[in-house]
Amino acid sequence: MKHNILLRSAVAMLAASATFMACTDNIAVGNAALDKATSSTATIDTVFNNAEYTRQFLVGIYSKQYYGLPYANGGANMPHSGNPYTGKFDGLTDCWHLFWNGAAVYGQYYTGAMTATTNRSDGLDGPLYSYDKEFQWYMIRASHIFLQNVDRAPEADMSQEEKNRLKAEARCLMVDAFFNTFQHFGGIPIMDHALETGEVTNQFPRNTVEECVDWMECQLDSAINESAFPWITSNPATMNGRWTKAGAMALKCKLLQFAASPLLNPKDGQPYYSGASEEVRPYIMYTDASKYQERWDKFAKACDDFYNALQSNGEYKMVEAVIPSTAKTPTSKLPYYRLAYRQGYFLNASTEILHSVRVYGNDPMSTARYGWHEWYSKDVPRNSYCPTHEYVEKFSWYDGEPFNWENAAKKTYNDNATEPELTEEVQSDGSTKYIVSNFVTNKLTGAITRNAKSLHTMFVSGDVPGGGRQINTSLTRDPRLYEECIVNGQNMNLDWTTASMTGYPWELWYNGNDGGTGVLTQQNTMFGSGYGFNKYYLGTGVYNNDQSADSYRFPTQWVALSLPEFYLQYAEALVMRSNPDVAKAVQMVDIVRSRVGLPTMAKIWTSSTWRAAKGYTATTAAGAATTVVTLDNGETSTEFMEELLDERVRELGLTNARWFDMVRLKRTDWMTKQLHGIMQYRMIQKGTVFESRHVAWVGSDRENDASSTQPLFFLNSIKPITGNSRYLWNKDPKSDEVKKWLLAPLPQAEINKQYGLVQNPGWE
């Protein structure tokens, strides 16, 4: 019986914790979490009269935590969101696009097909985070059972202090599962205890947004105020992944940030969906607009508390670059900054991770490579969440100057042109040769000049050494670009110790070895936008069976909460509180920027050149915090907030941060804009002109032609994405047709069980 699952032996619970693919029935809200608890007490006695079984019971709850990378095709016996056939939230934003049409990202969202009755037979449908298929209700109910029974464990084998610590952990697990669901659906039923025999389902209607937030905050405060709950795990080497006081405080910040944001906390008191009924409003927003500022201040207070605790307790800190004395120039330091960023989120021992989740048991290397890595290759491009050109342009030059395509083009073509003088010739095989006659060239030699900050050098620079074939690569942009994205010309590997960039360059030009023709076909292809993702991937791995790839022997953990995310949250809180402190907000952002060698955020407004490149008008950061930006969807923002959102996605790529920023801030303008990729053609000089050469730098071109060096010159153009185009593109961002997607539909099957669910607006 489903309601006996939680109370089987603790040994079975421990076995289930080895992987998310536990051998249990799926627990849905209407038939389990709101069902009757088992009438048998024998198994409860067996578990909670034994200290080790009690500990194992809690470990079993840990095993069901949300893991944000699609990792295995396990059907109904694993969380819905962990399956590549469901897909990642990031693919619904303006910064990534999925070029595989087999996931719900495409089938339900890009096509606009999702309804409240969507129900694929295998369960792999929208919403991407399921209301009843993520084991979240299992976690909540199991946590209550644990809280009600842990004190029964023998005192001789489990001290009261340990019991109190484990209770705090259980509260965090429970709130995390509830909050993950709340972010997608708004107010949901609060299960505030493990149900007893005889309780009826209609006692559990949907709770209001205010009730949900208050309940989660209360549970977190109980954990935070527990003296036995440690700031950091007592033994990080063996206890990483456990909830801590720091994690609980960070989760509270994240909860209150979401609660204070315009989706739930509209300043004008109006719901995000104009047609929302009076009945549904309490479940999708706060209905008392007079407390608008109070909610922002509560968020700021939570950030103050965490920041002060961090100053007092230490332990957590940003991973900083270790730069050798031999690296004397700014560009020679960039690989070390890049490595520091990578170590900060990817390594289990990182001092900036506040809470992480891992998956085991999917392959011999225990790295969760089955879905996330093996399904991202030329042969199996199912996780092809390609960065958009809009995303790549957010990354500045290495010195902090904002990237601007037109400015770079003026350094690429003669006479300050922003477009090439182009001739097209159709070849006998049907291909098109492109001839450019206005590249900037050396007046004496006629060779193409690769100016700094031009389109030729917008990703990498460097010269071919004497007698060599491959350039000594220099990075030219914000080091995080090469960790978030795979771009044309970057080396495939980055040494974990020396930060040396090794391996051949990624060939993403048209017909390059890696990009192939994908940017033309834009369908089921690894690099459909001309870019690939590198976050949580790191190098080639199974793509070319390279066992020395950067990620190969490391477990691919999901960073649920991190110090960089907190600093950027705090910056937002500082400018949104009743008494804004813009200077301190800049300081918080600068902690994140300085780790990768970038100058202060404030310079974006104080430098007239940088300001113009971004289209900003304020001349100081303080001025930017009050300079209003009117968005295409009719909402308003500020220049400071727009830059902070860009900084968040540069730092927090593929962590779901962009998705939840889009939702909480009602950024339907992001949801509806046409997105783009990049088309690059390899160019070679032919006399006084330069013509395209549609071949890869491999085989006969590289190995058998001693004169063929690494391609350095490209004809570049921004190309609209047409593959898997989204039905929301070019819709009116002010319309309810678009706005309804800010919250997901509750399953109609659950509403039909009549235990009190009211459907979200637009999905009726």
Side-chain angles (χ1 to χ4, degrees):
M1 296 175 63
K2 289 182 178 178
H3 51 256
N4 285 330
I5 292 170
L6 300 181
L7 303 178
R8 293 177 183 164
S9 74
V11 174
M13 291 294 294
L14 181 62
S17 72
T19 169
F20 279 3
M21 295 163 61
C23 296
T24 63
D25 294 328
N26 188 36
I27 298 180
V29 176
N31 64 4
L34 300 180
D35 200 352
K36 301 175 178 63
T38 178
S39 59
S40 171
T41 59
T43 310
I44 289 180
D45 290 339
T46 301
V47 173
F48 291 104
N49 286 336
N50 180 294
E52 188 56 32
Y53 286 178
T54 300
R55 296 183 187 103
Q56 291 171 5
F57 187 94
L58 185 65
V59 169
I61 305 173
Y62 268 100
S63 75
K64 301 299 182 290
Q65 291 178 102
Y66 172 76
Y67 182 88
L69 305 175
Y71 62 90
N73 179 21
N77 292 321
M78 61 170 287
H80 174 84
S81 58
N83 198 308
Y85 282 95
T86 302
K88 275 187 67 60
F89 315 135
D90 304 277
L92 305 179
T93 71
D94 59 330
C95 291
W96 294 270
H97 188 76
L98 179 64
F99 287 91
W100 179 48
N101 59 16
V105 168
Y106 171 78
Q108 301 301 322
Y109 287 80
Y110 287 5
T111 65
M114 187 168 68
T115 69
T117 57
T118 298
N119 186 23
R120 275 172 47 167
S121 59
D122 58 6
L124 298 175
D125 49 24
L128 301 189
Y129 185 92
S130 174
Y131 182 76
D132 58 358
K133 299 182 180 72
E134 305 293 351
F135 292 95
Q136 67 270 56
W137 303 105
Y138 167 102
M139 290 181 65
I140 295 167
R141 186 164 184 256
S143 295
H144 279 305
I145 291 173
F146 183 86
L147 289 167
Q148 292 169 14
N149 290 281
V150 63
D151 285 329
R152 299 170 60 180
E155 193 73 34
D157 300 319
M158 180 180 285
S159 68
Q160 190 61 48
E161 182 179 30
E162 182 182 0
K163 292 175 183 178
N164 291 343
R165 172 177 66 81
L166 296 181
K167 287 179 187 178
E169 291 183 29
R171 293 186 191 280
C172 291
L173 286 163
M174 182 167 57
V175 171
D176 187 50
F178 191 95
F179 180 54
N180 284 335
T181 310
F182 174 79
Q183 289 181 102
H184 292 279
F185 299 97
I188 53 178
I190 296 173
M191 192 200 317
D192 58 3
H193 65 284
L195 306 184
E196 301 295 337
T197 300
E199 292 190 68
V200 293
T201 59
N202 62 11
Q203 293 176 332
F204 295 90
R206 189 174 181 183
N207 285 91
T208 67
V209 163
E210 185 166 11
E211 290 168 341
C212 289
V213 173
D214 288 350
W215 179 79
M216 287 186 280
E217 185 181 6
C218 180
Q219 294 297 321
L220 289 174
D221 283 342
S222 293
I224 292 166
N225 294 329
E226 172 53 60
S227 60
F229 199 29
W231 172 250
I232 192 170
T233 55
S234 57
N235 186 351
T238 59
M239 299 286 282
N240 269 357
R242 290 277 187 169
W243 279 97
T244 62
K245 192 184 297 285
M249 295 182 77
L251 181 56
K252 181 178 177 180
C253 293
K254 194 167 187 173
L255 161 65
L256 294 180
Q257 178 191 39
F258 194 82
S261 297
L263 177 76
L264 303 182
N265 185 34
K267 192 172 185 177
D268 62 2
Q270 297 302 308
Y272 69 89
Y273 188 92
S274 63
S277 68
E278 291 297 327
E279 180 188 21
V280 78
R281 289 189 182 199
Y283 308 122
I284 62 171
M285 59 180 280
Y286 288 101
T287 55
D288 184 358
S290 69
K291 295 183 179 179
Y292 167 82
Q293 188 58 54
E294 181 181 316
R295 296 178 187 112
W296 281 111
D297 289 343
K298 180 179 278 193
F299 165 47
K301 174 63 166 56
C303 290
D304 286 338
D305 291 345
F306 180 85
Y307 184 73
N308 292 336
L310 181 64
Q311 303 310 300
S312 298
N313 298 313
E315 301 292 349
Y316 300 98
K317 60 183 180 180
M318 298 287 283
V319 176
E320 301 292 346
V322 178
I323 301 176
S325 59
T326 53
K328 299 184 182 300
T329 64
T331 54
S332 66
K333 298 176 182 179
L334 296 182
Y336 300 96
Y337 291 129
R338 177 184 167 189
L339 179 59
Y341 174 80
R342 173 182 291 193
Q343 291 172 329
Y345 84 90
F346 202 81
L347 295 184
N348 178 239
S350 168
T351 55
E352 64 188 55
I353 296 175
L354 303 173
H355 187 67
S356 64
V357 182
R358 279 170 285 165
V359 176
Y360 288 101
N362 285 290
D363 67 2
M365 300 305 300
S366 298
T367 56
R369 302 179 73 87
Y370 169 65
W372 187 243
H373 290 79
E374 289 197 6
W375 282 21
Y376 184 51
S377 67
K378 286 195 291 186
D379 294 332
V380 190
R382 295 175 183 172
N383 284 331
S384 52
Y385 294 93
C386 298
T388 63
H389 188 69
E390 283 77 5
Y391 182 40
V392 172
E393 283 207 346
K394 293 181 187 298
F395 293 89
S396 70
W397 297 104
Y398 73 89
D399 61 0
E401 179 182 346
F403 179 86
N404 181 282
W405 183 276
E406 290 190 359
N407 291 345
K410 289 176 182 178
K411 296 181 179 181
T412 307
Y413 307 110
N414 284 317
D415 303 320
N416 285 329
T418 58
E419 297 289 341
E421 294 178 3
L422 190 64
T423 302
E424 300 181 14
E425 292 184 359
V426 178
Q427 305 301 293
S428 58
D429 62 359
S431 66
T432 301
K433 179 187 292 183
Y434 298 94
I435 301 172
V436 178
S437 58
N438 69 328
F439 276 135
V440 174
T441 55
N442 184 291
K443 293 180 180 179
L444 297 178
T445 65
I448 303 177
T449 301
R450 299 177 73 234
N451 285 326
K453 297 184 178 179
S454 70
L455 297 181
H456 290 313
T457 57
M458 64 178 162
F459 300 132
V460 298
S461 188
D463 298 318
V464 178
R469 309 276 294 283
Q470 188 172 349
I471 67 170
N472 293 319
T473 306
S474 293
L475 305 179
T476 59
R477 301 277 286 277
D478 177 341
R480 294 172 296 186
L481 170 62
Y482 310 94
E483 290 301 298
E484 296 287 352
C485 308
I486 296 172
V487 296
N488 189 30
Q490 81 181 68
N491 299 89
M492 289 185 172
N493 299 104
L494 179 73
D495 188 271
W496 282 98
T497 303
T498 66
S500 61
M501 296 178 291
T502 59
Y504 285 122
W506 286 97
E507 299 183 12
L508 303 191
W509 63 84
Y510 172 69
N511 234 20
N513 187 50
D514 304 294
T517 60
V519 75
L520 282 182
T521 62
Q522 295 190 6
Q523 196 72 36
N524 293 343
T525 183
M526 187 176 180
F527 298 105
S529 67
Y531 303 111
F533 76 81
N534 204 27
K535 186 73 166 281
Y536 287 113
Y537 177 66
L538 305 187
T540 55
V542 295
Y543 166 58
N544 64 359
N545 200 29
D546 178 9
Q547 295 190 15
S548 64
D550 297 354
S551 66
Y552 197 78
R553 299 185 187 280
F554 294 92
T556 307
Q557 65 186 339
W558 171 253
V559 180
L561 296 165
S562 72
L563 203 53
E565 180 181 23
F566 165 74
Y567 284 130
L568 297 175
Q569 286 172 331
Y570 198 14
E572 182 176 345
L574 287 162
V575 297
M576 292 300 296
R577 69 192 323 166
S578 295
N579 52 333
D581 188 341
V582 179
K584 189 172 183 179
V586 170
Q587 179 188 351
M588 294 301 105
V589 178
D590 287 351
I591 292 172
V592 174
R593 289 173 61 86
S594 64
R595 189 262 293 279
V596 289
L598 293 174
T600 177
M601 176 195 196
K603 190 175 178 181
I604 294 167
W605 291 283
T606 58
S607 167
S608 60
T609 302
W610 293 15
R611 184 168 65 242
K614 294 284 288 191
Y616 293 152
T617 60
T619 56
T620 64
T626 58
T627 299
V628 175
V629 176
T630 301
L631 307 173
D632 290 341
N633 63 356
E635 303 287 336
T636 60
S637 181
T638 65
E639 287 186 358
F640 189 97
M641 191 63 188
E642 292 302 285
E643 188 59 36
L644 180 58
L645 290 172
D646 281 355
E647 192 66 44
R648 281 176 59 82
V649 77
R650 289 189 286 259
E651 180 71 25
L652 304 172
L654 283 181
T655 65
N656 299 339
R658 187 69 170 182
W659 162 259
F660 288 117
D661 283 348
M662 183 174 75
V663 168
R664 70 185 179 89
L665 298 172
K666 302 190 293 188
R667 295 305 296 259
T668 51
D669 55 321
W670 296 351
M671 299 169 74
T672 54
K673 67 183 179 184
Q674 170 69 53
L675 300 176
H676 299 81
I678 189 173
M679 174 63 81
Q680 297 183 274
Y681 294 100
R682 176 184 176 184
M683 304 298 288
I684 59 172
Q685 187 165 8
K686 291 285 188 176
T688 59
V689 298
F690 306 90
E691 65 180 43
S692 58
R693 186 177 184 186
H694 307 321
V695 296
W697 189 54
V698 295
S700 60
D701 189 77
R702 182 177 70 202
E703 307 302 336
N704 301 329
D705 181 356
S707 66
S708 180
T709 59
Q710 179 178 340
L712 300 176
F713 308 105
F714 300 93
L715 171 63
N716 304 284
S717 63
I718 300 172
K719 179 180 176 64
I721 291 174
T722 56
N724 287 4
S725 63
R726 310 182 197 181
Y727 108 97
L728 284 180
W729 285 350
N730 301 316
K731 296 282 187 182
D732 181 2
K734 302 184 179 98
S735 69
D736 279 345
E737 179 184 8
V738 174
K739 291 179 179 179
K740 79 171 187 177
W741 293 84
L742 291 171
L743 286 181
L746 296 160
Q748 189 62 41
E750 289 298 315
I751 293 174
N752 293 344
K753 291 172 185 175
Q754 298 184 341
Y755 57 83
L757 293 187
V758 178
Q759 185 59 272
N760 283 329
W763 298 105
E764 296 88 350

